Structures are given as C-alpha cells and as structure tokens.
Amino acid sequence: MKLKITKSALLVALAGFSGSVMAQETSSIEGSRFSTQQFRTWSIGVHAGVTTPRTMFDGKFREFQTTKEQLGYGGYVKKQILPALGIQAEFLAGKVEGLRQQVGVDAAGNPTYLGNSGFASRMEWAGAVTAVYNLANININSENGVLIPYVKAGAGYMSSNSNTYVGSANNYQGYDERWYIPTGIGFKLGVARGINLDLGYDVNFVKSPTFNGVNGATNDKFAYAHAGLEFALGSKSKPQLQNYSSLAALRIQSKEESEALRRALSTAE
C-alpha cells in the first residue's frame, strides 16, 4: 500500500515539474517573440563622385554639346522613420562643366555648336531635404540587409556662380542663389553591421535657366554619380532600422522557438 502511494506521489511530482519546465519554456518563447525590438534610426553619410551637365532626360538639343566631368562631394544626416522611409538633410558642393555652346541649327534641323567655347559653374554650397524610399530589403537569411535599392526626391537651395567663354573672352557671373529639385536612384550594400556602401545616381533640376551662364529657353539640370559610406549612429547591439529584414527575423525566431519547444518536450519526456 505504501509502495503504491509512493509511486503515485512520484508521478504527481514529475508531472508538476514537467509542467513547470514547459511553462518556463513557453514563457521564454513568448517573451522573445513579442518583446519590443530597439533599432538605430539615425545615420550619417559621406560621398564623392562625378558631376556632368548631361543627364538621362536630355533631348536632341543641348546648350552644350560635350560634357567635361568634374569632382562633386557631399554628405547627409538621415532619420529613418519606417523600414522603407527615411528623411535626410543633405549637402552638395563641386563643379559642373561643359564644352561647345549651341549657336543654332543647320539646314537639316540639327543643332550646330561653337568650337573653343564652354562654361564652368561652381556650387559654393547646396543644401536639400529629401525623402528616401527603400524599394526592397533583399535578404532572407540575416537580419542585416545585404542589398537595398532606393529612390529619393526632395527640394533644396544652392549658391553657385558661372563662367562662360569663347576663345579667350570670358563672361563671369558672380554667385547667385536659386532653388533646385534633387532626385535620385541607387542601392546600398550592408558591408558590416551598421556600415553601408552607398552607390547612387542623382539628377538635380535647377529652377533657373542661368545655372550654366547661358539664359536658355529651359531650366538647367545636372547629374551626379557618386559612391560613399553610411554609418549608423547609436548602440552597436541594436540593428539599423533601414537594414532590418523582418522576413529574416521571423525565420530566425521561428527556428529558435522550434528548438526551444523540442528541448521542452524532451525535458518533459
């Protein structure tokens, strides 16, 4: 009789112990699954590249026939609001130059250009606020994004001068301020946790026909192809919001929870 009571008590104790273990494991799983995730949302970036007055939106008639690539450089500070949307304040400086000014059309209707002529415009500064939209976060195996294509657009204000010339005759126009609309496409590569390689192509639509020193029929524009680095600010233990792949995180969490459940069942058995 005593032996039966002892066995019953032992079974009850084991059942209670396994239930306690299962409850602890379940609590741990739920806590991990539903806990609030902290992110790094501020970042800074620097870049340098090539400026040119020729863009993908040029038509048949250009005010200057040939481009002369020059150096451009800049940087930005960005606040990531959503994984797919960020707002950044950016800065740009450099020089834009072109050769051989258009002077008319020939009998066939093709533009004609003047040899030994050109322009050079220098941006003293250009500041803008742009919205950056991430098209996708292409990564399913790691929470840190590997490839992030994006588009951007905004509004800015700049100070620039220009100098046009024909032979040895120069026409210098001093610094003037004007609005411009920066647009761009590009992609970012996550080279390390919190560090991204940024490759982009921007087209800046200047709200003035005299940016290049020639008062033409349409407003001027110029392109800027660049490469740079972006650095996330904040604790290194937190992932960067724009790089965070929810799909990869869900996949990793599901794997961890499955393993925890197996351990709990094994312990209960």
Side-chain angles (χ1 to χ4, degrees):
M1 183 67 178
K2 290 183 179 180
L3 183 60
K4 290 182 179 180
I5 294 174
T6 303
K7 287 182 177 180
S8 299
L10 182 59
L11 288 172
V12 171
L14 285 173
F17 175 73
S18 63
S20 175
V21 171
M22 287 283 286
Q24 290 178 2
E25 291 287 352
T26 303
S27 176
S28 175
I29 291 172
E30 290 179 350
S32 173
R33 184 172 183 177
F34 298 107
S35 60
T36 301
Q37 178 72 55
Q38 299 295 323
F39 297 98
R40 284 186 280 180
T41 59
W42 286 96
S43 62
I44 59 173
V46 292
H47 49 74
V50 175
T51 63
T52 169
R54 181 167 296 179
T55 74
M56 64 175 65
F57 301 102
D58 290 346
K60 178 179 179 181
F61 296 94
R62 303 185 183 97
E63 289 181 338
F64 290 85
Q65 181 183 26
T66 307
T67 65
K68 187 175 181 181
E69 288 74 16
Q70 291 290 347
L71 174 67
Y73 57 91
Y76 59 85
V77 177
K78 185 174 70 171
K79 170 67 174 179
Q80 198 71 27
I81 301 173
L82 300 170
L85 179 65
I87 303 295
Q88 68 184 28
E90 56 185 53
F91 166 81
L92 179 64
K95 191 176 181 181
V96 183
E97 191 169 352
L99 303 175
R100 290 189 286 277
Q101 181 181 348
Q102 180 186 343
V103 291
V105 295
D106 58 19
N110 296 314
T112 59
Y113 298 93
L114 181 63
N116 198 23
S117 64
F119 84 96
S121 297
R122 184 178 298 277
M123 289 177 286
E124 183 180 26
W125 53 263
V129 176
T130 58
V132 183
Y133 181 75
N134 298 328
L135 298 176
N137 189 332
I138 304 173
N139 195 5
I140 61 173
N141 294 317
S142 173
E143 293 182 14
N144 186 53
V146 175
L147 177 62
I148 307 172
Y150 67 84
V151 296
K152 72 172 188 176
Y157 201 64
M158 71 164 65
S159 173
S160 66
N161 69 359
S162 63
N163 180 51
T164 57
Y165 61 88
V166 179
S168 59
N170 291 274
N171 179 22
Y172 175 78
Q173 299 180 27
Y175 282 100
D176 193 11
E177 297 180 0
R178 47 181 63 87
W179 291 94
Y180 73 104
I181 299 174
T183 63
I185 58 174
F187 62 90
K188 295 182 180 179
L189 294 172
V191 295
R193 189 178 179 89
I195 302 177
N196 303 309
L197 177 64
D198 185 3
L199 303 174
Y201 174 82
D202 299 347
V203 177
N204 298 282
F205 297 88
V206 184
K207 301 296 288 182
S208 169
T210 59
F211 171 76
N212 58 12
V214 177
N215 192 359
T218 60
N219 289 337
D220 297 324
K221 53 187 175 293
F222 66 93
Y224 173 52
H226 58 85
L229 290 174
E230 180 185 35
F231 303 92
L233 303 178
S235 174
K236 292 182 178 181
S237 63
K238 300 176 183 178
Q240 189 177 358
L241 181 57
Q242 78 162 357
N243 290 43
Y244 187 72
S245 173
S246 57
L247 179 61
L250 180 61
R251 183 174 178 273
I252 293 171
Q253 270 190 0
S254 299
K255 179 182 177 183
E256 291 175 350
E257 292 169 3
S258 178
E259 291 175 351
L261 185 58
R262 287 196 192 98
R263 289 195 299 269
L265 291 172
S266 177
T267 302
E269 288 173 357

